[in-house]
Amino acid sequence: MNILVTGGAGYIGSHTCVELLNNNHSVIIADNLSNSKIETIDKIKQITDKDILFYKVDVIDEQAAESIFSSHQIDGVIHFAGFKAVGESVEKPLKYYYNNIVSTIILSRLCIKYNVNKFVFSSSATVYGENKVPFVETMDLLPTTNPYGETKAISERILTDVAKANHSFSVSLLRYFNPVGAHESGLIGESPNGIPNNLMPYITQVAKGKLQKLRVFGNDYDTVDGTGVRDYIHVVDLAEGHVASVERLQEGVHVYNLGTGQGTSVLQLIYAFEKVNNIKIPYEIVGRRPGDIAVSYACVSKAEQELGWKAKRGIKEMCRDAWKFEENL
Ligand code: NAD
Ligand code: UFG
């Protein structure tokens, strides 16, 4: 297939491009590089020894986006492009609602116009809000505590309605749990601008000596050791989930959790990182971070049954590969 990957220069997008190419699909990337670097395109080519097309395009510029649809035969779109910093979305809600929702509207409009029938969307476990774990795809979505999460829930609804009105338009809504790690080559990975918000990049920067110590946000949750529990998933497993999802996409709207089904606490992740990489991570316990939930992990049986996909890599590989990438920076 010829797949248009929006946000393909970003963290999850770049790993997905590698796996699409490894599975003999062709890739066109549309990315405005607002949160990524042009060098990533060459790294994708280097890892796969294959060529890709790259357009530096803002997908909310409809004319620019349309020029890609009008000049290529596209079989499917994987839509990663969007802003993702939860804290920033609270400060700048309109920036998030505008980019994340308008991009979904424009891309689905262009798909209908150009008869592109497969659409895979990057959603998030955050749409489950404070449901009971494990999160199952059939649960009602609960309000999230931030505009970022709302953009995911609203985009899911928009795509569902578009698919209802256009029967040949098939949609896969992929709810990611906590993607971490990097490609085993160490060439591509996650390099956030400024001080990281997320746990794993914070740990790797402490390991590198860029940051002094990790702050653990709360140890009074009702969990194994009081710290927050998440379902960390290796980004290459996540990328493989996208390949399975676009290859198996049937008519209609399909929702899948992409996680491992295993919960890991903050302290468990720190200790695993220390053990695997033989580096001490200094940390201190501080108060809870506003908006955090205690526990999040997925029920993963639907993706396994319908997509024939299952995460294969464990916490050890996640810690090893995240560090390898940071070391290479
Ligand atoms: P990322 O920031 O690394 O990648 C997003 C890419 O989209 C960047 O390369 C950025 O330059 C590009 N982009 C943003 N707005 C654009 C626009 N209007 N036009 C063109 N390009 C644009 O983020 P990521 O971690 O790879 O996340 C990819 C997607 O997955 C996002 O939609 C994110 O919300 C979603 N997601 C991420 C996580 C996570 O923890 N990383 C969890 C759940 C969902
Ligand atoms: N944490 C710390 N210290 C830090 C950073 C995080 O203790 O410096 C803790 C958090 O309190 C939480 C856990 O580590 O218990 C994971 O936090 P992250 O920020 O790494 O991840 P979140 O689960 O909060 O959120 C992430 C993405 C969201 C996405 C969600 C579900 O940031 O965009 O996963 O996919 F919606």
Side-chain angles (χ1 to χ4, degrees):
M1 282 186 272
N2 201 17
I3 310 291
L4 173 63
V5 183
T6 74
Y11 174 46
I12 306 170
S14 58
H15 290 82
T16 300
C17 289
V18 167
E19 297 312 317
L20 286 167
L21 292 161
N22 284 343
N23 284 278
N24 297 318
H25 298 292
S26 304
V27 165
I28 304 168
I29 293 179
D31 198 304
N32 63 2
L33 303 179
S34 56
N35 196 35
S36 50
K37 298 197 176 73
I38 187 72
E39 294 81 50
T40 303
I41 305 299
D42 282 333
K43 305 252 173 78
I44 297 170
K45 292 181 186 169
Q46 193 183 333
I47 293 169
T48 58
D49 204 18
K50 293 200 173 146
D51 215 2
I52 47 179
L53 281 174
F54 171 70
Y55 288 91
K56 185 171 184 297
V57 153
D58 192 321
V59 295
I60 60 174
D61 175 347
E62 188 157 7
Q63 254 186 329
E66 180 155 7
S67 70
I68 304 177
F69 282 78
S70 61
S71 44
H72 299 280
Q73 172 62 46
I74 296 167
D75 300 299
V77 172
I78 306 183
H79 179 32
F80 292 105
F83 296 141
K84 63 164 180 177
V86 173
E88 190 191 38
S89 80
V90 177
E91 310 282 316
K92 299 176 182 165
L94 286 172
K95 176 177 170 179
Y96 276 70
Y97 282 114
Y98 190 59
N99 195 37
N100 293 7
I101 292 173
V102 174
S103 61
T104 302
I105 293 174
I106 286 178
L107 289 162
S108 48
R109 189 147 75 189
L110 290 171
C111 282
I112 303 302
K113 183 165 175 188
Y114 287 88
N115 243 328
V116 178
N117 291 326
K118 292 178 197 296
F119 198 101
V120 176
F121 178 66
S122 296
S123 189
S124 167
T126 198
V127 298
Y128 289 110
E130 293 198 74
N131 266 297
K132 277 217 176 75
V133 285
F135 296 150
V136 185
E137 289 89 343
T138 47
M139 283 174 163
D140 286 338
L141 303 190
L142 295 182
T144 61
T145 49
N146 58 78
Y148 164 75
E150 291 305 309
T151 69
K152 294 297 174 189
I154 294 168
S155 289
E156 285 199 6
R157 285 205 292 278
I158 292 171
L159 290 165
T160 303
D161 288 343
V162 174
K164 268 191 205 148
N166 299 272
H167 291 296
S168 54
F169 186 61
S170 310
V171 173
S172 186
L173 304 173
L174 302 181
R175 295 180 181 156
Y176 312 156
F177 280 70
N178 288 58
V180 295
H183 191 263
E184 59 173 14
S185 63
L187 288 172
I188 54 173
E190 187 176 19
S191 49
N193 294 329
I195 296 178
N197 298 305
N198 297 116
L199 182 59
M200 184 64 100
Y202 208 107
I203 291 178
T204 60
Q205 294 201 12
V206 171
K208 189 114 184 235
K210 284 190 200 165
L211 296 168
Q212 242 185 350
K213 66 177 163 197
L214 176 73
R215 288 172 308 150
V216 174
F217 297 135
N219 67 349
D220 56 353
Y221 289 106
D222 184 16
T223 62
V224 59
D225 54 23
T227 65
V229 166
R230 296 292 182 273
D231 184 340
Y232 296 97
I233 173 169
H234 195 294
V235 67
V236 176
D237 277 322
L238 189 63
E240 289 172 354
H242 287 74
V243 178
S245 154
V246 75
E247 285 179 348
R248 300 238 186 161
L249 187 51
Q250 310 272 345
E251 233 171 66
V253 180
H254 308 273
V255 188
Y256 298 106
N257 286 339
L258 297 185
T260 63
Q262 303 290 322
T264 303
S265 76
V266 177
L267 292 179
Q268 286 170 337
L269 190 69
I270 297 172
Y271 301 149
F273 186 94
E274 291 185 330
K275 190 160 172 226
V276 170
N277 297 310
N278 202 18
I279 303 173
K280 205 89 201 112
I281 303 295
Y283 68 85
E284 64 172 327
I285 309 284
V286 299
R288 292 181 178 191
R289 182 171 66 178
D292 271 354
I293 57 172
V295 184
S296 159
Y297 60 88
C299 167
V300 291
S301 51
K302 189 176 176 204
E304 207 177 322
Q305 278 158 22
E306 294 187 13
L307 302 177
W309 169 89
K310 194 175 184 268
K312 299 191 288 263
R313 296 159 182 86
I315 289 288
K316 206 170 140 187
E317 287 88 350
M318 299 179 211
C319 292
R320 180 197 65 196
D321 296 337
W323 175 233
K324 186 169 182 187
F325 175 70
E326 181 71 47
E327 258 191 312
N328 272 348
L329 280 179

